[in-house]
Amino acid sequence: MASQTGAIVQQSLNALMGDPAFLPNLQAQAREQAFLSLAAILSTPNKVHKAFLRITVDNGNVVRIPAYRIQHNDTLGPYKGGIRFHESVSEDEVTNLAALMTLKNALHEVPFGGGKGGVVINPRSYSARELYLICKKYVQYFSDVLGPDKDIPAPDMGTGEREMDWMMAEYKSIHPGHPYLGSFTGKSVINGGSLGRREATGKGVYFTFRYMLYDFLKEQSSWLAGSTNPFVQTALAHADKPLSIAVQGFGNVGSVAAMEAYKCSYLNNKVVAVSDRNVTLYNPDGLSVPSLLEYASLHQGDLPSDEAALSELDMKAQILGREEVLYLDVDVLILAALEEQVRKDNVDQVKARIIVEGANAPVTGEADEVLTAKGTIIIPDILANAGGVIVSYFEWLQGRETQFFTEEQVYKMLYEKMQTTLNGILPAFFGDPFPLRQNCYNHAVMKLSTVLYRQGKLY
């Protein structure tokens, strides 16, 4: 995964190398040397922190749990990125995700660098007390490198506001008398968190899709109508028509995105399929997302997985295997589960012509090439799932200024921020042959490269 991100960064640098308007003061050998420096800086993390957390579990045994904090780049500001609790966490994965955070913040003009954390556990296998100890130990082991102006963690897969509250409290106890509200974001509102933070990523995921297919196409219809760009043709083929949507993953991101689609009045879309770790539910006539949300809230986040549960909800749906959501004949597929879900071995079975990456890196590089060649639009993670870090920035600001925004203000600022990014990216995407992912990387790498050059860090 890290090599995949590095390859895309290199492609961006190659494109910028031939652009005489980019860093015009660098010429000939000096330009080549600067671009070699950029490749080295952006393809490697600044620091890799690893620890084995010592935890006494409920049965009295002592276990050692691998944990990471990767700090990729802080050119634009303090390191920023979530902490995930998952059994698949590895140094390579966390390093790649930290690099993605650097690029994501650069793309959206958020004044943070990129970082990421991980703990190698399945949180469902641990009691609340054990998870509390894991959170405390994580902060204790990495306290020297964390802080409101150093590195600001947030929730990720397997963590939420409860864990951020625990971690902030431990940071406060380790650093008495120091500012602490901005040390972690994604906290509960009563502990200094921001209204709207939990829903921000899912809302942003659906907003990017809606804005592209409704607002942007409507505003730019005159010059797009005659375009031969394959991505324009895909977008126009899906404009002003009923759309079927499938959502993989029904956690914080997927469930919120599904609900946004369910209640959207701009597009004639319906959610026909959702999935979780156990099952896919499919009804071509549409699913009642509010009913599914209520059921999941009462069953540890799980969807109904048998006919009895569906009957209890008075809901009709086919019960399919959890991966079947990827292969349904739908217009739009929102990927809000894990990495590497669409791969070389299954990409030919994917029928959706528009894919939205709510998760990080759910489409592999090889699969991306296959889909792009078909004219499939992929709204990439770096663009689509930035709602969380944008509202984390708002939370960080609120903690520093000790004043708080209403939920309505938060969503208004979120959509304005994402709209600004989309208006800067979509004209280039629909006007040149680069896929949307590459356009986003080009924009982010250009921003980072310019700042690094002006800071004198390429020598």
Side-chain angles (χ1 to χ4, degrees), residues 415-446:
Y415 295 147
E416 288 175 349
K417 190 77 169 167
M418 298 195 82
Q419 181 176 332
T420 298
T421 302
L422 288 161
N423 286 338
I425 292 295
L426 291 179
F429 167 55
F430 286 128
D432 65 34
F434 290 118
L436 188 50
R437 189 188 311 279
Q438 191 63 59
N439 267 287
C440 291
Y441 272 77
N442 290 353
H443 189 95
V445 169
M446 182 183 296

Side-chain angles (χ1 to χ4, degrees), residues 212-346:
M212 182 188 74
L213 209 63
Y214 176 78
D215 304 74
F216 187 80
L217 290 187
K218 188 176 179 181
E219 293 170 4
Q220 308 295 332
S221 58
S222 56
W223 73 270
L224 291 174
S227 174
T228 58
N229 182 301
F231 303 117
V232 172
Q233 294 175 354
T234 298
L236 292 176
H238 290 80
D240 299 320
K241 62 165 281 191
L243 299 173
S244 55
I245 298 179
V247 182
Q248 185 201 33
F250 207 67
N252 277 355
V253 178
S255 64
V256 173
M259 191 61 192
E260 290 293 295
Y262 179 83
K263 65 184 185 182
C264 179
S265 60
Y266 296 95
L267 294 172
N268 182 14
N269 58 207
K270 59 184 175 183
V271 178
V272 300
V274 296
S275 75
D276 64 3
R277 63 195 179 100
N278 301 312
V279 69
T280 293
L281 300 178
Y282 174 62
N283 184 339
D285 295 324
L287 295 168
S288 173
V289 177
S291 297
L292 293 173
L293 280 170
E294 183 177 358
Y295 181 92
S297 69
L298 300 173
H299 294 82
Q300 295 185 307
D302 289 340
L303 292 167
S305 57
D306 55 41
E307 294 292 346
L310 287 173
S311 296
E312 186 180 322
L313 286 175
D314 193 25
M315 181 179 294
K316 293 181 179 180
Q318 297 179 43
I319 300 174
L320 307 173
R322 65 181 184 181
E323 287 196 2
E324 293 302 310
V325 69
L326 301 173
Y327 314 131
L328 294 171
D329 189 7
V330 295
D331 299 303
V332 183
L333 175 61
I334 297 176
L335 299 171
L338 296 168
E339 293 86 358
E340 300 185 358
Q341 296 301 292
V342 180
R343 308 170 301 273
K344 181 180 179 181
D345 64 300
N346 69 357

Side-chain angles (χ1 to χ4, degrees), residues 55-235:
I55 306 294
T56 303
V57 294
D58 289 344
N59 64 9
N61 292 339
V62 172
V63 298
R64 299 295 297 271
I65 300 173
Y68 302 92
R69 189 66 190 173
I70 308 294
Q71 297 174 322
H72 178 259
N73 191 282
D74 61 347
T75 299
L76 300 180
Y79 301 106
K80 186 82 184 76
I83 301 172
R84 62 175 45 188
F85 286 4
H86 197 271
E87 60 264 40
S88 69
V89 164
S90 67
E91 183 176 324
D92 179 66
E93 176 193 63
V94 179
T95 300
N96 184 62
L97 293 173
L100 285 174
M101 285 302 302
T102 296
L103 295 165
K104 187 182 298 182
N105 288 327
L107 175 65
H108 293 275
E109 302 281 347
V110 176
F112 289 137
K116 206 72 175 183
V119 180
V120 189
I121 60 168
N122 177 355
R124 291 174 178 265
S125 301
Y126 290 80
S127 68
R129 173 192 165 275
E130 290 167 336
L131 290 172
Y132 170 69
L133 292 176
I134 290 168
C135 289
K136 286 190 63 172
K137 289 286 186 176
Y138 187 94
V139 178
Q140 291 170 13
Y141 278 56
F142 297 128
S143 64
D144 289 346
V145 300
L146 302 177
D149 297 305
K150 295 180 182 178
D151 186 347
I152 308 135
D156 198 272
M157 186 187 307
T159 57
E161 61 181 30
R162 179 184 68 172
E163 287 75 19
M164 296 305 105
D165 286 353
W166 288 341
M167 289 185 176
M168 184 199 71
E170 185 63 18
Y171 179 88
K172 180 183 177 184
S173 69
I174 294 172
H175 301 281
H178 291 267
Y180 64 89
L181 281 178
S183 58
F184 290 82
T185 60
K187 306 180 298 294
S188 65
V189 173
I190 199 170
N191 272 306
S194 175
L195 292 167
R197 171 59 181 82
R198 190 190 74 82
E199 299 85 3
T201 304
K203 282 181 173 287
V205 165
Y206 184 76
F207 177 79
T208 56
F209 160 70
R210 191 215 83 190
Y211 188 82
M212 182 188 74
L213 209 63
Y214 176 78
D215 304 74
F216 187 80
L217 290 187
K218 188 176 179 181
E219 293 170 4
Q220 308 295 332
S221 58
S222 56
W223 73 270
L224 291 174
S227 174
T228 58
N229 182 301
F231 303 117
V232 172
Q233 294 175 354
T234 298

